[in-house]
Amino acid sequence: MKGKTRAAVLMGALAALLVVAVGGFALAANPEQVTVTAPVAQTIRLSVSKNAVNFGGGSLDPETGSYSDGLTATVRSNVDWRLQVEKNRDLTGTDPANVIPSSQLTFTSSSASGRVTAVRNSATEFGATGSPTMVAEGIKGNNIDVSVNYGLTVTWDESPDTYSATHTYTVIAR
């Protein structure tokens, strides 16, 4: 019986210690609130697959007449966006008197991405400096590809020369 009493007293003491320990921790609780902020910046990125459109790299023949080339613009944006392009001038030869009219250099755009909401389905002239032309529009997302397809018509009226212009692509929030 002594052993059973000792065991009962020991169990009671352990139970009391457990109650005090748990109760003691509960009494020591002092809740504090912490505010967590994570300011996410508006971020828009544009890359193009190449920096030169040269319609095959050789001399262009008016007998052939129509030439094409293209590039892929890739947009990464956490806001809805617009891809636009503007030119610094019409295609102009090394002799500034030689100019290929704007109507002969056009583009279309397309995309397989469901995040692209507007493209240029028909031949569109490039906007002049200060008057950019919409290439495509879309909703936020990562690695959204837009194909830009250049079309050039070379006629018998073009003088032999090397013609050039600079096209600037920009992606902006809309």
Side-chain angles (χ1 to χ4, degrees), residues 12-28:
L14 283 173
L17 280 173
L18 184 60
V19 168
V20 169
V22 170
F25 288 126
L27 294 175

Side-chain angles (χ1 to χ4, degrees), residues 31-50:
E32 292 287 336
Q33 293 183 343
V34 175
T35 301
V36 178
T37 59
V40 175
Q42 175 179 300
T43 305
I44 303 175
R45 300 284 185 262
L46 172 65
S47 60
V48 292
S49 59
K50 61 183 184 178

Side-chain angles (χ1 to χ4, degrees), residues 47-71:
S47 60
V48 292
S49 59
K50 61 183 184 178
N51 295 101
V53 173
N54 63 12
F55 303 101
S59 295
L60 307 181
D61 184 347
E63 191 77 48
T64 302
S66 294
Y67 292 88
S68 62
D69 198 358
L71 59 87

